[in-house]
Amino acid sequence: MLQTIIDVQRDIYLAFAGHIKTFAQDGNWGALAAFLPMGIVFGAVHAMTPGHSKSVLATYLAGSSAGLGRSLIVSLALSFTHVAVAVLIALLALPLVSVALGTVGRAPLLEDLSRSLLGAIGLWMVWRALRHAVHAHGDREGVAVGIMAGLIPCPLTLFAMTFAMIRSVPEAGIAFAVAMMAGVAFTLSAVALVTVFFCSQLISLLKSRPKLVAVVTRSVEAVAGAVLVAVALHGIL
């Protein structure tokens, strides 16, 4: 399955490279626009591969008892930041290269910042759970988590942007990145909705025992917070 996903990504990327070369020569937006839907497929398939903070997203949503609407907000914030950071790094490559970039497609400083902030959110969730009270998690917190998790840039977006800039058509790279963002958002939103659905089903099964629901909710939040802290420490150390 993973090999199939990798093969699809490769085929779409090679096609993208061909379209960028053609666009650099004739500037035909019509032909490029006709190809952009493949960018959505590219982003959706790419987000199925390991990474992209899917586990962080699912862990946070499970511990936050988020509804469907807020889970979508978190996944969209993550998707936007994940792709947008890669676009910004590509556009500002020269001043950032000696500070943020380590190897191609990576930004170690941003990765450590992302993990540190997520670890802080994890500690906050554990602390709240230990206070023995059920807390409502606002939209702002969800958006903040999405942005923090998305600070790790999308490597394929960075590759696509770099290739477009080499051909002196950064606008084409940005257009493809936007299409990719839609695909990434589709996959991450699916992960978010599935997580929330199963959590809501569990809570529904326990509705007849409100005290147990409170205990389970606090326990899940504490475990989710601990997992976020562990992921942050593992990534940094």
Side-chain angles (χ1 to χ4, degrees):
M1 178 63 178
L2 180 59
Q3 186 58 48
T4 300
I5 292 175
I6 293 174
D7 291 341
V8 171
Q9 287 184 117
R10 183 190 64 243
D11 292 342
I12 296 177
Y13 187 79
L14 291 175
F16 162 76
H19 278 78
I20 288 297
K21 291 178 182 178
T22 302
F23 180 79
Q25 294 170 354
D26 59 24
N28 187 346
W29 273 104
L32 182 64
F35 177 73
L36 289 182
M38 291 304 297
I40 299 176
V41 177
F42 187 56
V45 171
H46 178 55
M48 294 179 188
T49 58
H52 309 285
S53 300
K54 291 188 292 294
S55 59
V56 170
L57 175 65
T59 299
Y60 170 75
L61 291 176
S64 67
S65 301
L68 295 178
R70 190 155 58 80
S71 69
L72 287 176
I73 291 174
V74 178
S75 62
L76 291 176
L78 198 165
S79 304
F80 174 80
T81 308
H82 184 54
V83 175
V85 167
V87 172
L88 288 175
I89 288 178
L91 293 175
L92 304 174
L94 290 179
L96 286 179
V97 69
S98 63
V99 177
L101 298 181
T103 56
V104 177
R106 293 194 58 207
L109 285 182
L110 288 176
E111 292 174 14
D112 287 345
L113 176 61
S114 172
R115 290 165 180 146
S116 298
L117 293 173
L118 288 173
I121 287 290
L123 289 173
W124 171 244
M125 292 172 69
V126 172
W127 179 76
R128 284 190 306 197
L130 293 177
R131 292 179 63 194
H132 301 291
V134 178
H135 299 271
H137 299 238
D139 289 343
R140 290 183 180 179
E141 179 183 290
V143 171
V145 170
I147 292 174
M148 292 172 189
L151 284 176
I152 299 176
C154 175
L156 286 189
T157 301
L158 192 54
F159 291 149
M161 280 296 302
T162 301
F163 187 83
M165 292 178 69
I166 290 174
R167 295 286 172 174
S168 300
V169 285
E171 65 276 17
I174 293 174
F176 190 73
V178 171
M180 278 189 64
M181 186 188 299
V184 171
F186 176 82
T187 298
L188 294 185
S189 294
V191 171
L193 293 177
V194 168
T195 301
V196 170
F197 173 76
F198 279 107
C199 287
S200 63
Q201 291 298 106
L202 175 61
I203 296 300
S204 295
L205 290 174
L206 300 175
K207 271 187 176 179
S208 60
R209 305 181 67 180
K211 290 185 178 180
L212 181 59
V213 170
V215 172
V216 170
T217 301
R218 290 197 306 269
S219 299
V220 171
E221 181 173 22
V223 171
V227 170
L228 289 180
V229 174
V231 169
L233 291 176
H234 180 269
I236 294 173
L237 300 178

